[in-house]
Amino acid sequence: MPTNKTPFLPIFLGLLWFGSFAGLESTTGKRPSIPGVYIFGDSLVDAGNNNYLAISISKANYPRNGVDFPDEKATGRFSNGKNAADAIAEKFGLPLPPPYLSLKVPFKEKERKSAALTGVNFASGGAGIFNGSDQKLRQSIPLSHQVNDWQDIHKELTSQLGPSEAQNHLSKSLFFVVIGSNDLFDYFGSFKLRQKTNPQQYTQSMADKLREQLKRLHDNGARRFLILGVAQIGCTPGQRARNSTMHECNEESNMWCSLYNEALLKMLQQFKQELKSSMAYTYFDNFKSVHDIITNPARYGFADVTSACCGSGDLNADSPCFPVSNLCSDRTKYLFWDRFGHPTEAAARTIVDLMLSDDSQYSSPLTLTQLVSS
């Protein structure tokens, strides 16, 4: 997210690509089933919650967003189509998790009861682990508030199934958490923050704060977590365009991402030691996965891993994706949808295939398939 707190979050890549691509075997065979998937995070997985924030400008509910979504509908996803949360749900045969706030409007009781069982999306574009300026200005829903909203759905589920069966249901469900990039953007966009704390201290405090929210989720039924590390936010089109001559990545930004991912991984290991068998997790190394795609794009079916598909100017990164923006003709060949580094649907699907691959180089201590089978 840029320093002016525009709601868009960089580089993740999530959803699945149903076809196989060169050099990577598509997942085959019968996949373990899960009863529900619950999504927490930022614009990488927001399904439209920000549409319901009255004064937020952190929205994507206008063209050309959604150009490849069914009926070309701009749903509030920061993508040309579906996002990672949708892809994960589809891979496990579940309906797309609706945005939580869409279930709060009148006459949605039936949809709310159904979604409580199969999955709800609490993510919000611009959200962070900390309650930052976006939350104060009502631009996004920070993670702590997303967990508050989960408690509401937890009560709904318990009311439907009873306490014992609800816990059994949740123990088999997946809790998908994608967050952290906006907090890093806040840090290197704030002279005051950088005066107050060094990068190591700040990224450690991010991991510590995330642990608090994961514990709250665990206290309210969550047992299986899929946690994504932060990707190379220094390699988004917007960051590259600042280097007008060489279009190189911003390596300082990437260094801060690495610091956070190291702190996150250690925190998860300690969290597991504390909770023992009552918690299992997959940490997906999104930094490495994006690096590998950028280094060898043809292997993954991409032709452009530096420019935005939708935008204007240098690298199509001078402006966000608007209805009048330039639009690439073949979205399946682009890694990035917009200047902020949101993935195209094709890129997102590629990453989800990597999550579900038996190759453990990106996932620890369990692959996602192992996690949902545990």
Side-chain angles (χ1 to χ4, degrees):
M1 175 172 309
T3 56
N4 66 359
K5 290 300 296 176
T6 322
F8 309 83
L9 235 139
I11 198 168
F12 154 51
L13 294 43
L15 273 127
L16 33 156
W17 198 357
F18 286 107
S20 60
F21 43 89
L24 181 66
E25 295 294 322
S26 57
T27 53
T28 58
K30 184 173 177 60
R31 183 166 291 111
S33 62
I34 57 174
V37 58
Y38 304 93
I39 316 297
F40 303 83
D42 50 42
S43 57
L44 295 170
V45 285
D46 185 358
N49 276 305
N50 282 14
N51 298 349
Y52 299 87
L53 301 181
I55 64 173
S56 176
I57 61 169
S58 302
K59 296 176 181 176
N61 57 347
Y62 53 84
R64 299 177 180 260
N65 296 298
V67 63
D68 297 310
F69 198 84
D71 299 323
E72 298 184 19
K73 185 177 181 180
T75 59
R77 292 165 171 84
F78 296 81
S79 171
N80 61 301
K82 296 175 182 176
N83 67 24
D86 305 315
I88 292 286
E90 287 181 336
K91 282 290 191 182
F92 288 102
L94 295 168
L96 304 189
Y100 168 76
L101 291 182
S102 73
L103 305 173
K104 297 281 285 183
V105 299
F107 311 113
K108 286 285 188 175
E109 184 177 352
K110 182 178 178 181
E111 291 88 343
R112 178 184 170 89
K113 287 183 176 180
S114 176
L117 292 168
T118 58
V120 178
N121 190 319
F122 302 91
S124 171
I129 298 169
F130 297 124
N131 294 0
S133 58
D134 266 10
Q135 185 268 329
K136 293 174 185 174
L137 298 173
R138 299 181 184 178
Q139 296 297 298
S140 66
I141 309 163
L143 184 59
S144 61
H145 291 215
Q146 294 178 34
V147 177
N148 292 345
D149 293 337
W150 160 247
Q151 291 174 324
D152 184 38
I153 291 296
H154 181 256
K155 290 177 183 176
E156 172 71 49
L157 196 63
T158 303
S159 174
Q160 286 190 57
L161 302 179
S164 178
E165 185 55 36
Q167 184 52 55
N168 182 55
H169 178 91
L170 293 175
S171 70
K172 299 174 183 177
S173 297
L174 184 66
F175 288 74
F176 185 23
V177 181
V178 184
I179 202 158
S181 297
N182 287 320
D183 300 282
L184 291 170
F185 277 125
D186 278 346
Y187 181 74
F188 58 74
S190 170
F191 178 71
K192 184 183 293 187
L193 263 180
R194 285 184 281 116
Q195 269 193 322
K196 192 163 63 173
T197 180
N198 64 42
Q200 289 85 355
Q201 292 168 332
Y202 184 78
T203 52
Q204 183 60 54
S205 66
M206 285 173 60
D208 293 341
K209 191 66 175 179
L210 177 59
R211 183 189 179 285
E212 291 179 17
Q213 303 309 322
L214 295 180
K215 182 63 166 61
R216 292 178 64 205
L217 288 172
H218 181 270
D219 290 344
N220 284 273
R223 294 295 181 266
R224 295 177 180 176
F225 295 89
L226 170 61
I227 312 290
L228 261 67
V230 172
Q232 293 182 306
I233 62 178
C235 294
T236 62
Q239 290 283 310
R240 285 181 183 270
R242 293 181 180 183
N243 185 343
S244 57
T245 54
M246 300 295 291
H247 291 157
E248 298 289 342
C249 298
N250 183 333
E251 294 304 334
E252 184 180 17
S253 299
N254 288 342
M255 180 268 293
W256 289 337
C257 295
S258 293
L259 284 176
Y260 169 66
N261 288 335
E262 290 170 9
L264 172 61
L265 194 52
K266 289 178 183 176
M267 178 276 287
L268 289 171
Q269 291 167 349
Q270 294 167 356
F271 192 46
K272 169 63 177 174
Q273 289 174 357
E274 176 188 332
L275 297 177
K276 298 183 170 52
S277 62
S278 72
M279 175 265 193
Y281 73 94
T282 291
Y283 167 79
F284 183 78
D285 189 345
N286 207 33
F287 191 99
K288 177 173 171 52
S289 69
V290 171
H291 172 269
D292 289 353
I293 292 170
I294 290 173
T295 302
N296 191 3
R299 180 187 177 206
Y300 301 91
F302 297 107
D304 192 320
V305 294
T306 57
S307 305
C309 172
C310 182
S312 63
D314 191 24
L315 297 182
N316 239 11
D318 285 354
S319 66
C321 182
F322 291 131
V324 296
S325 295
N326 299 324
L327 182 68
C328 66
S329 58
D330 188 352
R331 270 81 69 186
T332 68
K333 297 301 182 183
Y334 276 70
L335 177 61
F336 298 114
W337 168 239
D338 57 21
R339 73 185 300 269
F340 305 104
H342 294 106
T344 60
E345 179 174 337
R349 292 185 181 278
T350 298
I351 289 294
V352 169
D353 273 349
L354 291 175
M355 290 181 194
L356 288 163
S357 169
D358 291 333
D359 186 348
S360 61
Q361 66 173 308
Y362 302 112
S363 301
S364 64
L366 303 170
T367 65
L368 179 53
T369 301
Q370 290 170 335
L371 175 68
V372 298
S373 302
S374 62

